[in-house]
Amino acid sequence: MSTVKKPLTPKLPRQKRRNVVENDEFAAFGRRIIRAHGRRVATGDVEALRDLVALSSVIDDAIGEAVIGLRTFGYSWSEIGSRLGISKQAAQQRWGGDKP
C-alpha cells in the first residue's frame, strides 16, 4: 500500500521521473552513524574529534554534488530552494555556476 498522497505529489515530466527507494531509511542510517561517531569521541577518543569535524565539509560537498545533479536532472532553483527552506536566489548563489 502506497503512503503517497496523490494530490500533494506533483506529476513530474517524464525526464524527471525516477525511482527513489528508501531515502528516509538511508538518511536515518547516515544520521545514526554520525551520532555514533560523536558518542565514540565523547567517550574519550580525542584523536577522532578532527575526523568528526571533517565530516561537515564532506556533507557540504555531498549537498553540492546533489544540487548539481538535481539541476542536471532538470529541477529548478525554485524547487531546490523550496526543499531546503531557502529562496531560489539563495540556492543559486550558494551552488550556482551551472547553466543547464
Side-chain angles (χ1 to χ4, degrees):
M1 179 174 136
S2 175
T3 59
V4 174
K5 294 182 179 176
K6 300 265 184 210
L8 300 177
T9 305
K11 297 238 185 258
L12 296 175
R14 194 162 207 46
Q15 77 270 14
K16 286 189 180 181
R17 286 187 197 152
R18 184 172 170 194
N19 291 332
V20 179
V21 180
E22 301 174 348
N23 276 342
D24 293 338
E25 293 88 352
F26 192 72
F29 173 68
R31 286 190 295 272
R32 285 193 306 273
I33 290 172
I34 292 168
R35 286 186 191 121
H37 191 44
R39 287 191 301 272
R40 182 179 189 148
V41 172
T43 62
D45 189 358
V46 71
E47 297 302 322
L49 182 59
R50 187 178 345 186
D51 294 334
L52 184 60
V53 171
L55 285 175
S56 67
S57 72
V58 172
I59 290 170
D60 284 343
D61 291 346
I63 293 168
E65 184 176 339
V67 168
I68 290 167
L70 289 170
R71 290 285 295 147
T72 301
F73 204 72
Y75 286 91
S76 70
W77 287 116
S78 293
E79 292 170 300
I80 292 167
S82 170
R83 294 333 186 273
L84 296 172
I86 60 176
S87 69
K88 68 179 182 181
Q89 292 87 355
Q92 188 172 17
Q93 196 169 33
R94 180 160 180 189
W95 296 288
D98 65 326
K99 306 280 190 236

